Each structure stands twice: as C-alpha cells, then as structure tokens.
Amino acid sequence: MNKDTAFFGHPVGLRTLFLTEMWERMSYYGMRALLVLYMTGAITGFNPGMGLSAINANAIYGIYVGMVYFMVVPGGWIADNILGHQKAVLIGAIIIALGHFTLAIPLEQTFFLGLMFVVLGTGLLKGNISTIVGNLYRENDERRDSGYTIFYMSINIGSTLGFLICSYLGEKIGWHYGFGAAGIGMTFGVYQYIKFRHLLEDAGQKPNEMSDEKRSNLIKWTKISLIIMFTVIGAGLLGFITVDPRVFAENFAYFLTIVAGAYFLYLYGFAGLKNVEKKNLLLLFVLFIGAAAFWSGFDQSASSLSIFARDYTDLSIGGFIIPIGWLQFANPIFVVTFAPIFAGIWAHLARINLDPSLPIKFAIGLIFMALSFIVMVYAVKLAMVTAPVGMRWLLLTYLLQTWGELALSPIGLSAFSKYSPKRYMGQMFGLWFLASAIGGVLAGLLGGDATVDGLSSVQPIFTFMIQYYAVIALALIIMAYFFKNREKT
C-alpha cells in the first residue's frame, strides 16, 4: 500500500505518532486521576495519602497542569531551533517515563520531583508531536482535519487505558502502584516510537536553518537556563524555598496570561509577519481565548468533579464500589464514539457550504460546557437534600463536555497547524497548549474555591462558570462576523 495512504487513508507515519500519543496520554491521565485524591487522602489507614486541604491540593493540581502545558512553549522553541521535533519527542518521552517511575517511590520529595520530570518531558513531547502530524501532509491537503481527528482519538484511547488501570491500582491497592503503572505505559510508548520512528521520514526531523554560530549561542543559553531551573527545583525539594500553593497558583495564572499576551503582541508587531499572517494571527488569538476558558471547566474532572464523585456520589455497581477514576473514562469513551460523527458532520456541512466558522465552532464548544455545569448545579441541589446521588449526573456532565471538546479541541489543533506562521510553527503549538496551561491553573483555583466548604461552596462557583461561558460564547459569535472570510484565504 502507498505509504501516503497506509494508515486509514493517511500517511503511515501517523500510526507511529498515534501510538506514541496513546501511551503518553495513558500515563498522563492515569496519573492525573490520582493526584487530588492522593493529596487529599488521610495520612493514616488503608492506602494513606498526603492529608492536604482541598484548597491546597487543588492549587497544586492547577499548578501542575499549568506547568505541563506552559513548558510546551519552550519545548517548541527548543525543537524549532536546536533538536528538531522528532528528537524532542523522543527525549521528552524518556523523561516522562522517568517521572512516573519516580512518582512510584513513596516519599514526599520524590512525589514532587516526579511531577517535575513529567512536566519537563511533556513540554518536549506534547506540542512537537502535534507539529509532526501537520508536517505529514502537503500544504493544501484536505485530509489534514480528519488526520488530526484520528490523532485525537489516540488521546482518548490512551486516557481510557490510564483511567482503567491506574485508577484501579492506585485506589484499590496503593497510590504508588498506580503511578508505577503509568511509567510502564510510557515505556511502551518509548519502545514503539524508537522502533517505528523511521516511518516519519523527514517530517519534523531537522530544526530551522541558521548559522552554526547562532545555533551554538542558543545551545549555550539553553544550558544555562536549564542549570538555573534545576537549581531552583532542587532548592525547593530540599526545603530551602517554600511557597503557598494557592498564592503561587494565582500569580502563575497572571504570569501565563501576560506571557501569552506579550508573545502574541511580539509576533504581530515585531516578527516580520506579512499582512495575511497577521490576520491569521488575530484569528488564532480569538481561538486562544476560547480554548483557555474551555479548559478551565474541562479540567474540573480531576478536581472538583472528582471530589464530588468521592464524597457525594453512589459508586456501587452490583455491590462493587468502582474506583472514582473510572467515571472519568466516560469522556474518552464518548470521544471515540462521537469523534467520527462530528468529523462527518463538519465534512457534510463543508460539502453544502454550511460549515461553521472557527469562532462559531468554539462558541458551540463553550455552550456545551455551560450546559454541563447547569447539570451539575442541579446535581448539587439534589445532593444537599439526599446524598449520595446517582452516577448519571456526572455521566451526563461528561457527555456534554465531550461534545464541547469535539467542537473545539481537534478543530483548534488543525487551525493552529494551518494558520500559524510557518517559521514559528513549534512555538505556535506551544501557544495553543499555553491556553491549556491557563485553563488548568484556573481549574485548580476554581476547584479549590468550589470544594473549600463542601456542597455550600460548589453551587456558586458552578453558577459563575455557567455565566462566564455564556458571555464568552456570545463574544465569539459576534467576532465570527469579522472573521467570516478569513478561513477562505
């Protein structure tokens, strides 16, 4: 079979990336499902946790998720200018596996060290593997959108495995067994990437062209930055630096927002972009705002919604109490089920010239997110009267959030691949994931506020989220008018 159509009608290299992403997401989501539960677990009794307060645990969770996606920005820069995307993915995958195995060691210091390794490894892998997907296709290849949808399914197959395996081991046997299982999964990903990397050919293989002197200077400053970073991390792990998680998370959210805004301004005003590239950049900035808002609600699944599942939901099925994390694989199962349907809907609408613009698709995603929290407000009201409530409330919430995800996330990936300035491709994917970073930190902050006083604090936070999703969705619908011809150029 032709290599260009050997994987479900797509380039055969997509298979390598599909499996690498699948195992990486297995490890990431499997471990993430345990974080808040482990940190808020009692320090005595069966399967002891860290005994942290809900507000501190959620803040640490938000910082972790934010750091994971923030590091995609320097990870893209390193791939663009020094390593090339293929080598960056390989090194990142190895560091991620090391991080999960470090988490499996039952010590507080190794817990935070392991999180740091996962953060750094994901920074090298996550954005760059998405960049390579785009590089598999020619400039105007119509298969690009469906290729990203297929790639997106790998994320959800992997997360299903992670929730299924890591949640069971972590909750029923021991937290650190769950963390270790995530490491084994990532090791599978490393092995198959090394074995089948040749199928990628030259897609993302080489960094940007520049003089040897310039590249040497970039390598030198990168090494200096890494030394400073590891010095700060080591000082924190040894107790020389202490921080309040909540205060750090709040300041980190401001920092990420400023970084994102400054970088968009730099690209628009000082990067030497052509007029058409500047117009494309404005479109991507609008999508960035919608994505950051979306992820602040979506990432509640391992935050406030996970605590709601633990404390106020009946988890028994035929006398067996299922692990809390198993509820979360409703989302990836729904994605695998509905992704082909959404791809088919967009393709059909495009054929009859009714395909919604990108801002409209993002607004649809935010409307679904608002509806999901309307469901949760009713679930909270019911739990105040008669707890525990049935699992159907969380399952319906995850279904609506999945539909929102499918209207927004794979479309956003494809848009950043298609409309980003080509010489800044890796860094633009870093910006796309920076939206996830901002959303993740906000998810931790909102989750902490929602769970600080039990059910009485959940309802007002969820009500606020409904309102701000509605406002941002309306703004996107209005902005769609100004960009209605942008996607045709």
Coordinates of all heavy atoms in Angstrom, one line a residue, residues 134-199:
G134 N 1.0 17.6 11.5 CA 0.8 18.6 10.4 C 1.8 18.5 9.3 O 1.5 18.6 8.2
N135 N 3.1 18.1 9.7 CA 4.1 18.0 8.7 C 4.0 16.8 7.8 O 4.7 16.7 6.8 CB 5.5 18.0 9.4 CG 5.9 19.4 10.0 OD1 5.4 20.4 9.6 ND2 6.7 19.4 11.0
L136 N 3.2 15.9 8.2 CA 3.0 14.7 7.4 C 2.2 15.0 6.1 O 2.2 14.2 5.1 CB 2.2 13.6 8.1 CG 3.0 12.9 9.3 CD1 2.0 12.0 10.1 CD2 4.2 12.2 8.9
Y137 N 1.5 16.2 6.1 CA 0.6 16.5 5.0 C 1.2 17.6 4.1 O 1.9 18.5 4.6 CB -0.7 16.9 5.5 CG -1.4 15.8 6.3 CD1 -1.2 15.7 7.6 CD2 -2.2 14.8 5.6 CE1 -1.8 14.7 8.4 CE2 -2.8 13.8 6.3 CZ -2.6 13.7 7.7 OH -3.2 12.7 8.4
R138 N 0.9 17.6 2.9 CA 1.2 18.8 2.0 C 0.4 20.0 2.4 O -0.6 19.9 3.1 CB 1.0 18.4 0.5 CG 1.9 17.3 0.0 CD 1.7 17.0 -1.4 NE 0.3 16.4 -1.6 CZ 0.0 15.1 -1.5 NH1 0.9 14.3 -1.1 NH2 -1.2 14.7 -1.7
E139 N 0.8 21.1 1.8 CA 0.3 22.4 2.3 C -1.3 22.5 2.2 O -1.9 22.9 3.1 CB 0.8 23.5 1.4 CG 0.4 24.9 1.8 CD 1.1 25.4 3.0 OE1 2.2 24.8 3.4 OE2 0.6 26.3 3.7
N140 N -1.9 22.0 1.1 CA -3.3 22.1 0.9 C -4.0 20.8 1.0 O -5.1 20.6 0.3 CB -3.6 22.9 -0.4 CG -3.1 24.3 -0.4 OD1 -3.3 25.0 0.6 ND2 -2.4 24.7 -1.5
D141 N -3.4 19.8 1.7 CA -4.0 18.5 1.8 C -5.3 18.6 2.6 O -5.3 18.9 3.7 CB -3.0 17.6 2.4 CG -3.4 16.1 2.2 OD1 -4.6 15.8 2.2 OD2 -2.4 15.3 2.1
E142 N -6.4 18.2 1.9 CA -7.7 18.2 2.6 C -7.9 17.2 3.7 O -8.9 17.2 4.5 CB -8.8 18.0 1.6 CG -8.9 19.2 0.5 CD -10.0 19.0 -0.5 OE1 -10.7 17.9 -0.4 OE2 -10.3 19.9 -1.3
R143 N -6.9 16.2 3.8 CA -7.0 15.2 4.8 C -6.5 15.7 6.2 O -6.7 15.0 7.2 CB -6.2 14.0 4.4 CG -6.7 13.3 3.2 CD -5.7 12.2 2.8 NE -4.4 12.7 2.5 CZ -3.3 11.9 2.4 NH1 -3.4 10.6 2.5 NH2 -2.1 12.5 2.2
R144 N -6.0 16.9 6.3 CA -5.4 17.4 7.5 C -6.3 17.4 8.7 O -6.0 16.9 9.7 CB -4.8 18.8 7.3 CG -4.0 19.3 8.5 CD -3.7 20.8 8.3 NE -2.9 21.0 7.1 CZ -1.5 21.0 7.0 NH1 -0.9 20.9 8.2 NH2 -0.9 21.1 5.9
D145 N -7.5 17.9 8.5 CA -8.5 18.0 9.6 C -8.9 16.6 10.1 O -8.9 16.3 11.3 CB -9.8 18.7 9.2 CG -9.6 20.3 9.2 OD1 -8.4 20.7 9.3 OD2 -10.6 21.0 9.0
S146 N -9.2 15.7 9.2 CA -9.6 14.3 9.6 C -8.4 13.6 10.2 O -8.5 12.8 11.1 CB -10.1 13.6 8.4 OG -9.2 13.5 7.3
G147 N -7.1 13.9 9.7 CA -5.9 13.4 10.3 C -5.8 13.7 11.8 O -5.5 12.9 12.6
Y148 N -6.0 15.0 12.1 CA -6.0 15.4 13.5 C -7.1 14.8 14.3 O -6.9 14.5 15.5 CB -6.1 17.0 13.6 CG -4.7 17.6 13.5 CD1 -4.3 18.3 12.3 CD2 -3.8 17.6 14.5 CE1 -3.0 18.9 12.2 CE2 -2.5 18.1 14.4 CZ -2.2 18.8 13.3 OH -0.9 19.4 13.2
T149 N -8.3 14.5 13.7 CA -9.3 13.9 14.4 C -9.0 12.5 14.7 O -9.2 12.0 15.9 CB -10.6 13.9 13.6 OG1 -11.0 15.3 13.3 CG2 -11.8 13.2 14.3
I150 N -8.3 11.7 13.8 CA -7.8 10.4 14.1 C -6.8 10.4 15.2 O -6.8 9.6 16.1 CB -7.3 9.7 12.8 CG1 -8.4 9.5 11.8 CG2 -6.5 8.4 13.1 CD1 -7.9 9.0 10.4
F151 N -5.9 11.4 15.0 CA -4.8 11.5 16.1 C -5.4 11.8 17.4 O -5.0 11.3 18.5 CB -3.9 12.7 15.6 CG -2.8 13.0 16.6 CD1 -1.7 12.1 16.8 CD2 -2.8 14.2 17.4 CE1 -0.7 12.4 17.7 CE2 -1.8 14.4 18.3 CZ -0.8 13.6 18.5
Y152 N -6.5 12.6 17.4 CA -7.2 13.0 18.7 C -7.8 11.7 19.3 O -7.9 11.7 20.6 CB -8.2 14.0 18.4 CG -8.6 14.9 19.6 CD1 -7.7 15.8 20.1 CD2 -9.7 14.7 20.3 CE1 -8.0 16.6 21.2 CE2 -10.1 15.4 21.5 CZ -9.2 16.3 21.9 OH -9.5 17.1 23.0
M153 N -8.2 10.8 18.5 CA -8.8 9.6 19.1 C -7.7 8.8 19.9 O -8.1 8.1 20.9 CB -9.4 8.7 18.0 CG -10.7 9.3 17.4 SD -11.3 8.3 16.1 CE -11.9 6.9 17.0
S154 N -6.5 8.9 19.5 CA -5.4 8.2 20.2 C -5.3 8.7 21.6 O -5.0 8.0 22.6 CB -4.1 8.4 19.5 OG -3.5 9.7 19.7
I155 N -5.5 10.0 21.8 CA -5.5 10.6 23.1 C -6.5 9.9 24.0 O -6.3 9.6 25.2 CB -5.8 12.1 23.0 CG1 -4.6 12.8 22.2 CG2 -5.9 12.7 24.4 CD1 -4.9 14.3 21.9
N156 N -7.7 9.7 23.5 CA -8.8 9.2 24.3 C -8.7 7.7 24.5 O -9.2 7.2 25.6 CB -10.1 9.6 23.7 CG -10.2 11.1 23.7 OD1 -10.6 11.7 24.7 ND2 -9.9 11.8 22.6
I157 N -8.2 7.0 23.6 CA -7.9 5.5 23.8 C -6.9 5.4 24.9 O -7.1 4.6 25.8 CB -7.5 4.8 22.5 CG1 -8.6 4.9 21.5 CG2 -7.0 3.4 22.8 CD1 -8.1 4.4 20.1
G158 N -5.9 6.2 24.9 CA -4.8 6.2 25.9 C -5.4 6.5 27.3 O -5.1 5.9 28.3
S159 N -6.2 7.6 27.3 CA -6.7 8.0 28.6 C -7.7 7.0 29.2 O -7.7 6.8 30.4 CB -7.4 9.4 28.5 OG -8.4 9.4 27.6
T160 N -8.4 6.3 28.3 CA -9.3 5.2 28.8 C -8.5 4.2 29.5 O -8.8 3.7 30.6 CB -10.1 4.6 27.6 OG1 -10.9 5.6 27.0 CG2 -11.0 3.5 28.1
L161 N -7.4 3.8 28.9 CA -6.5 2.8 29.5 C -5.9 3.3 30.8 O -5.8 2.5 31.8 CB -5.3 2.4 28.5 CG -5.7 1.6 27.3 CD1 -4.5 1.6 26.4 CD2 -6.2 0.2 27.6
G162 N -5.5 4.6 30.8 CA -5.0 5.1 32.0 C -6.0 5.1 33.2 O -5.6 4.7 34.3
F163 N -7.2 5.6 32.9 CA -8.2 5.6 34.0 C -8.5 4.2 34.5 O -8.6 4.0 35.7 CB -9.5 6.3 33.5 CG -9.3 7.7 33.2 CD1 -9.9 8.3 32.0 CD2 -8.6 8.6 34.0 CE1 -9.8 9.6 31.7 CE2 -8.5 9.9 33.7 CZ -9.1 10.5 32.6
L164 N -8.6 3.3 33.5 CA -9.0 1.9 33.9 C -7.9 1.2 34.7 O -8.2 0.7 35.8 CB -9.2 1.1 32.6 CG -9.6 -0.4 32.8 CD1 -11.0 -0.4 33.4 CD2 -9.6 -1.1 31.4
I165 N -6.7 1.3 34.3 CA -5.6 0.6 35.0 C -5.1 1.4 36.2 O -5.0 0.8 37.3 CB -4.4 0.3 34.0 CG1 -4.9 -0.6 32.9 CG2 -3.2 -0.3 34.7 CD1 -3.9 -0.7 31.7
C166 N -4.7 2.6 36.0 CA -4.0 3.4 37.1 C -5.0 3.7 38.2 O -4.6 3.6 39.4 CB -3.4 4.7 36.6 SG -2.1 4.4 35.3
S167 N -6.3 4.0 37.9 CA -7.2 4.3 39.0 C -7.5 3.1 39.8 O -7.6 3.1 41.0 CB -8.6 4.8 38.4 OG -8.4 6.1 37.8
Y168 N -7.6 1.9 39.2 CA -7.9 0.7 40.0 C -6.7 0.4 40.9 O -6.9 0.2 42.1 CB -8.2 -0.5 39.0 CG -8.4 -1.8 39.8 CD1 -9.6 -2.1 40.4 CD2 -7.3 -2.7 40.0 CE1 -9.8 -3.2 41.1 CE2 -7.5 -3.8 40.8 CZ -8.8 -4.1 41.3 OH -9.0 -5.2 42.1
L169 N -5.5 0.4 40.3 CA -4.3 0.0 41.1 C -4.1 1.1 42.2 O -3.8 0.8 43.3 CB -3.1 0.0 40.2 CG -3.0 -1.2 39.2 CD1 -1.8 -1.1 38.3 CD2 -3.0 -2.5 40.0
G170 N -4.2 2.4 41.8 CA -4.0 3.4 42.8 C -5.0 3.5 43.9 O -4.6 3.6 45.1
E171 N -6.3 3.3 43.6 CA -7.3 3.5 44.7 C -7.5 2.2 45.4 O -7.8 2.2 46.6 CB -8.6 3.9 44.0 CG -8.6 5.3 43.4 CD -9.9 5.7 42.8 OE1 -11.0 5.4 43.5 OE2 -9.9 6.3 41.7
K172 N -7.4 1.0 44.8 CA -7.7 -0.2 45.4 C -6.5 -1.0 46.0 O -6.7 -1.8 46.9 CB -8.4 -1.2 44.4 CG -9.7 -0.6 43.8 CD -10.8 -0.5 44.9 CE -12.1 0.0 44.3 NZ -13.2 0.2 45.3
I173 N -5.3 -0.7 45.5 CA -4.1 -1.4 46.0 C -3.2 -0.5 46.7 O -2.8 -0.7 47.8 CB -3.5 -2.2 44.9 CG1 -4.4 -3.2 44.3 CG2 -2.2 -2.9 45.4 CD1 -3.9 -4.0 43.1
G174 N -2.8 0.6 46.0 CA -1.9 1.6 46.6 C -1.6 2.7 45.6 O -1.4 2.4 44.4
W175 N -1.6 3.9 46.0 CA -1.4 5.0 45.1 C -0.2 4.9 44.2 O -0.2 5.1 43.0 CB -1.3 6.3 45.9 CG -2.5 6.7 46.8 CD1 -2.5 6.7 48.1 CD2 -3.8 7.0 46.3 NE1 -3.8 7.1 48.5 CE2 -4.6 7.3 47.5 CE3 -4.4 7.1 45.0 CZ2 -5.9 7.6 47.4 CZ3 -5.7 7.5 45.0 CH2 -6.5 7.7 46.1
H176 N 0.9 4.4 44.8 CA 2.2 4.4 44.1 C 2.2 3.3 43.1 O 3.0 3.3 42.1 CB 3.3 4.3 45.1 CG 3.4 5.5 46.0 ND1 3.9 6.7 45.6 CD2 3.0 5.7 47.3 CE1 3.7 7.6 46.6 NE2 3.2 7.0 47.6
Y177 N 1.4 2.2 43.2 CA 1.2 1.2 42.2 C 0.6 1.8 40.9 O 1.0 1.5 39.8 CB 0.4 0.1 42.7 CG 1.1 -0.8 43.6 CD1 1.0 -0.7 45.0 CD2 1.9 -1.9 43.2 CE1 1.6 -1.5 45.9 CE2 2.6 -2.7 44.1 CZ 2.5 -2.5 45.5 OH 3.1 -3.3 46.4
G178 N -0.4 2.7 41.2 CA -1.0 3.4 40.0 C 0.0 4.3 39.3 O 0.1 4.4 38.1
F179 N 0.9 5.0 40.1 CA 1.9 5.9 39.4 C 2.9 5.0 38.7 O 3.3 5.4 37.6 CB 2.6 6.7 40.5 CG 1.8 7.7 41.2 CD1 1.9 7.9 42.6 CD2 0.8 8.4 40.6 CE1 1.1 8.8 43.3 CE2 0.0 9.3 41.3 CZ 0.1 9.5 42.6
G180 N 3.3 3.9 39.2 CA 4.2 3.0 38.5 C 3.6 2.4 37.2 O 4.3 2.3 36.2
A181 N 2.3 2.1 37.2 CA 1.7 1.6 36.0 C 1.7 2.6 34.9 O 1.9 2.3 33.7 CB 0.2 1.2 36.3
A182 N 1.6 3.9 35.3 CA 1.7 5.0 34.3 C 3.1 5.0 33.6 O 3.3 5.2 32.4 CB 1.4 6.3 34.9
G183 N 4.1 4.7 34.4 CA 5.5 4.6 33.9 C 5.7 3.5 33.0 O 6.4 3.6 31.9
I184 N 5.1 2.3 33.3 CA 5.2 1.2 32.4 C 4.5 1.5 31.0 O 5.0 1.2 30.0 CB 4.5 -0.1 33.0 CG1 5.4 -0.5 34.2 CG2 4.4 -1.2 32.0 CD1 4.7 -1.6 35.1
G185 N 3.4 2.2 31.1 CA 2.7 2.5 29.8 C 3.6 3.5 29.0 O 3.7 3.3 27.8
M186 N 4.2 4.4 29.6 CA 5.0 5.4 28.9 C 6.3 4.6 28.3 O 6.7 5.0 27.2 CB 5.5 6.5 29.8 CG 6.2 7.7 29.0 SD 5.0 8.5 27.9 CE 5.7 8.1 26.3
T187 N 6.7 3.6 29.0 CA 7.9 2.8 28.5 C 7.5 2.1 27.2 O 8.3 2.0 26.2 CB 8.3 1.8 29.5 OG1 8.7 2.5 30.7 CG2 9.5 1.0 29.0
F188 N 6.2 1.6 27.1 CA 5.7 1.0 25.8 C 5.8 2.1 24.7 O 6.1 1.8 23.6 CB 4.3 0.5 26.0 CG 4.2 -0.7 26.8 CD1 3.1 -1.0 27.6 CD2 5.2 -1.7 26.8 CE1 3.0 -2.1 28.4 CE2 5.1 -2.9 27.6 CZ 4.0 -3.1 28.4
G189 N 5.4 3.3 25.1 CA 5.4 4.4 24.1 C 6.8 4.7 23.5 O 7.0 4.9 22.3
V190 N 7.7 4.7 24.4 CA 9.1 5.0 24.1 C 9.6 3.9 23.1 O 10.2 4.2 22.1 CB 10.0 5.1 25.3 CG1 11.5 5.1 24.9 CG2 9.7 6.3 26.1
Y191 N 9.3 2.6 23.5 CA 9.8 1.5 22.7 C 9.3 1.6 21.2 O 10.1 1.4 20.3 CB 9.4 0.2 23.3 CG 9.6 -1.0 22.5 CD1 10.9 -1.5 22.3 CD2 8.6 -1.6 21.8 CE1 11.1 -2.6 21.4 CE2 8.8 -2.7 21.0 CZ 10.0 -3.2 20.8 OH 10.2 -4.3 20.0
Q192 N 8.0 1.7 21.1 CA 7.4 1.7 19.8 C 7.8 2.9 18.9 O 8.0 2.8 17.7 CB 5.9 1.5 19.8 CG 5.1 2.8 20.1 CD 4.9 3.7 18.9 OE1 4.7 3.2 17.8 NE2 4.8 5.0 19.2
Y193 N 8.0 4.1 19.6 CA 8.5 5.3 18.9 C 9.9 5.0 18.3 O 10.2 5.4 17.1 CB 8.5 6.5 19.8 CG 8.9 7.8 19.1 CD1 8.0 8.5 18.3 CD2 10.2 8.3 19.2 CE1 8.3 9.6 17.6 CE2 10.6 9.5 18.5 CZ 9.6 10.1 17.8 OH 10.0 11.3 17.1
I194 N 10.8 4.5 19.1 CA 12.1 4.2 18.6 C 12.1 3.2 17.5 O 12.8 3.3 16.4 CB 13.0 3.6 19.8 CG1 13.3 4.7 20.8 CG2 14.3 3.1 19.2 CD1 14.0 4.2 22.0
K195 N 11.2 2.2 17.6 CA 11.2 1.1 16.6 C 10.6 1.6 15.2 O 11.0 1.2 14.2 CB 10.4 -0.1 17.1 CG 10.3 -1.3 16.2 CD 9.7 -2.5 16.8 CE 9.7 -3.7 15.8 NZ 9.1 -4.9 16.4
F196 N 9.6 2.5 15.3 CA 8.9 2.9 14.1 C 9.1 4.3 13.7 O 8.4 4.9 12.9 CB 7.4 2.6 14.2 CG 7.1 1.2 14.4 CD1 6.6 0.7 15.7 CD2 7.2 0.2 13.4 CE1 6.3 -0.6 15.9 CE2 6.9 -1.1 13.6 CZ 6.5 -1.5 14.8
R197 N 10.1 5.0 14.3 CA 10.3 6.4 14.0 C 10.7 6.6 12.5 O 10.4 7.7 12.0 CB 11.5 6.9 14.9 CG 11.9 8.3 14.7 CD 13.0 8.7 15.7 NE 13.6 10.0 15.4 CZ 14.7 10.5 16.0 NH1 15.3 9.7 16.9 NH2 15.1 11.7 15.7
H198 N 11.3 5.6 11.9 CA 11.7 5.8 10.5 C 10.5 6.0 9.6 O 10.7 6.6 8.5 CB 12.5 4.5 10.0 CG 11.6 3.3 10.0 ND1 11.4 2.5 11.1 CD2 11.0 2.6 9.0 CE1 10.6 1.5 10.8 NE2 10.4 1.5 9.5
L199 N 9.3 5.6 10.0 CA 8.1 5.8 9.2 C 7.8 7.3 9.0 O 7.0 7.7 8.1 CB 6.9 5.1 9.8 CG 7.1 3.6 9.8 CD1 5.9 2.9 10.5 CD2 7.3 3.0 8.4

